[in-house]
Amino acid sequence: MPRNPSVSRESPQEALYVSREMNLDRSSEQRDSQPSHAVVPVCEAFRNFNAPVPSTMRAWIFFLLCLAGRALAAPQQEALPDETEVVEETVAEVAEVPVGANPVQVEVGEFDDGAEETEEEVVAENPCQNHHCKHGKVCELDENNTPMCVCQDPTSCPAPIGEFEKVCSNDNKTFDSSCHFFATKCTLEGTKKGHKLHLDYIGPCKYIPPCLDSELTEFPLRMRDWLKNVLVTLYERDEDNNLLTEKQKLRVKKIHENEKRLEAGDHPVELLARDFEKNYNMYIFPVHWQFGQLDQHPIDGYLSHTELAPLRAPLIPMEHCTTRFFETCDLDNDKYIALDEWAGCFGIKEKDIDKDLVI
């Protein structure tokens, strides 16, 4: 897809920072959170990836690799909003934890609506220590020394380090950080404006050019190729057997050892289209794999707008067809993307769509 020169790109370092700092609130009906996995080894693997890949392509794959590596928290299953409504993403710090058995998962606990405030059974000297509030709120003690969540004062948020910490809301207003955004949103709780206010994308607000029909057809060609290259890179760097599961490695091994595989590079769309036609089977598993990394809220064979958020929010400033592409995938307009709709968006034939490949 020809990229509009007005659409700026974050550096890989900034993309990594954003990926590690983004955290979605969980909604009041969300399930208990699932363990997350470390993303650093995956990002380091790409930093050492020496294939001759142009900077734009490297940034894209780097972003996907940095998203890989953390299991999804379990937020509420949300429906895709109407075309005029944007996802309720949230962004916050995520603590690093050891790599788990299936680390190649998109960071999603980072994009859910806020969770109900919950108190763990462990008794602490400070009652607020184990009392968790959703993003935009902080814990305070009432007159009975009971912890309660109240809206955070936006002026108490840390000063942003750089431009990459800023976020853009769906009303085209730039906030200094996700903390400032969610603290402001909290003060509007219960109002029509607060209900409609959402985080649109990462970075300061900018002009996002419209996605032309010709550009929309090119987007899945590149993304399909990127997913394949991400898996191959993970396979090559998985020396400690902690980046891919054994089942995933068996699938990727066949792709990696295929002499006809198109190497990573900033290829023209014509070449990508020909390669997909000639080496179609190489792309079946990567498309299923990506669906599995997003489908975690819960694992039900459908993607809600919330589950798509960690992929779309950081991409919108870089790929202006991101939103329109995901909207077109919802063929029945039920505000969820099923596996067959997802695979169809990437050109996978109906006979090759297999839920058992979502591993």
Side-chain angles (χ1 to χ4, degrees):
M1 171 191 317
R3 294 172 172 76
N4 191 307
S6 66
V7 181
S8 63
R9 306 287 194 288
E10 290 83 355
S11 69
Q13 290 80 7
E14 292 172 351
L16 172 60
Y17 183 90
V18 170
S19 175
R20 294 182 60 186
E21 292 299 313
M22 292 187 304
N23 222 349
L24 280 187
D25 275 339
R26 300 182 178 81
S27 70
S28 60
E29 300 180 78
Q30 86 168 46
R31 304 167 187 260
D32 294 332
S33 60
Q34 300 172 345
S36 58
H37 303 283
V39 68
V40 176
V42 183
C43 299
E44 291 299 329
F46 182 73
R47 284 203 189 95
N48 298 322
F49 181 50
N50 296 319
V53 184
S55 59
T56 301
M57 185 67 182
R58 291 179 64 89
W60 230 108
I61 300 179
F62 181 89
F63 160 70
L64 288 176
L65 284 172
C66 290
L67 284 181
R70 220 184 295 267
L72 309 171
Q76 166 188 350
Q77 174 74 3
E78 284 187 26
L80 285 166
D82 294 332
E83 194 167 320
T84 57
E85 193 160 336
V86 202
V87 64
E88 285 193 38
E89 299 94 347
T90 68
V91 185
E93 281 189 275
V94 177
E96 292 184 15
V97 295
V99 175
N102 186 12
V104 278
Q105 300 205 349
V106 181
E107 290 184 57
V108 207
E110 326 217 337
F111 289 86
D112 302 333
D113 233 355
E116 275 280 342
E117 294 82 28
T118 59
E119 185 173 3
E120 297 180 1
E121 294 182 0
V122 179
V123 178
E125 292 184 4
N126 181 356
C128 276
Q129 181 176 340
N130 293 310
H131 191 84
H132 304 288
C133 300
K134 68 178 183 180
H135 299 307
K137 291 190 175 185
V138 293
C139 180
E140 291 185 359
L141 302 179
D142 62 13
E143 61 275 9
N144 298 319
N145 206 38
T146 301
M148 58 183 294
C149 294
V150 298
C151 289
Q152 181 176 2
D153 183 351
T155 62
S156 69
C157 291
I161 299 176
E163 286 287 300
F164 52 86
E165 278 198 273
K166 295 184 177 182
V167 298
C168 182
S169 61
N170 60 320
D171 60 353
N172 204 40
K173 179 180 178 181
T174 297
F175 290 81
D176 286 340
S177 69
S178 60
C179 175
H180 290 84
F181 170 80
F182 290 109
T184 301
K185 180 177 172 64
C186 182
T187 62
L188 298 173
E189 275 189 350
T191 67
K192 186 175 181 180
K193 181 178 180 180
H195 177 71
K196 291 185 176 182
L197 182 64
H198 308 294
L199 187 152
D200 194 5
Y201 55 85
I202 307 303
C205 295
K206 62 176 70 175
Y207 170 69
I208 304 294
C211 175
L212 304 179
D213 292 343
S214 59
E215 296 175 319
L216 183 63
T217 60
E218 297 172 358
F219 181 86
L221 292 174
R222 292 198 312 277
M223 188 169 181
R224 200 166 47 206
D225 187 56
W226 294 328
L227 293 177
K228 178 198 66 180
N229 292 328
V230 166
L231 279 173
V232 169
T233 302
L234 288 173
Y235 176 82
E236 292 174 340
R237 303 296 178 179
D238 195 14
E239 298 177 357
D240 299 325
N241 299 315
N242 58 8
L243 301 180
L244 295 173
T245 65
E246 288 303 318
K247 288 184 178 180
Q248 291 169 342
K249 290 173 68 174
L250 288 175
R251 296 281 182 178
V252 182
K253 181 180 180 181
K254 295 179 181 180
I255 301 174
H256 181 265
E257 295 178 351
N258 194 318
E259 296 179 355
K260 296 181 180 180
R261 173 170 57 88
L262 181 65
E263 297 292 338
D266 196 3
H267 305 297
V269 293
E270 295 79 11
L271 177 58
L272 294 176
R274 288 198 302 270
D275 185 66
F276 178 65
E277 183 178 347
K278 293 180 179 180
N279 299 306
Y280 167 79
N281 289 333
M282 288 190 196
Y283 295 91
I284 296 176
F285 178 66
V287 171
H288 284 76
W289 169 80
Q290 180 64 84
F291 184 90
Q293 310 317 302
L294 295 171
D295 181 25
Q296 298 287 329
H297 296 181
I299 302 175
D300 59 357
Y302 294 89
L303 298 181
S304 67
H305 205 296
T306 295
E307 290 174 305
L308 285 170
L311 191 59
R312 67 176 293 278
L315 288 184
I316 291 176
M318 299 185 290
E319 293 283 351
H320 61 283
C321 281
T322 300
T323 297
R324 185 180 173 191
F325 173 74
F326 289 132
E327 289 174 348
T328 59
C329 289
D330 183 19
L331 299 179
D332 57 7
N333 295 315
D334 66 348
K335 300 183 180 180
Y336 293 92
I337 298 179
L339 175 59
D340 59 338
E341 293 175 317
W342 172 269
C345 267
F346 289 98
I348 304 302
K349 300 173 184 176
E350 184 176 356
K351 66 182 182 66
D352 296 316
I353 301 174
D354 186 356
K355 63 180 181 180
D356 291 334
L357 290 178
V358 183
I359 55 179

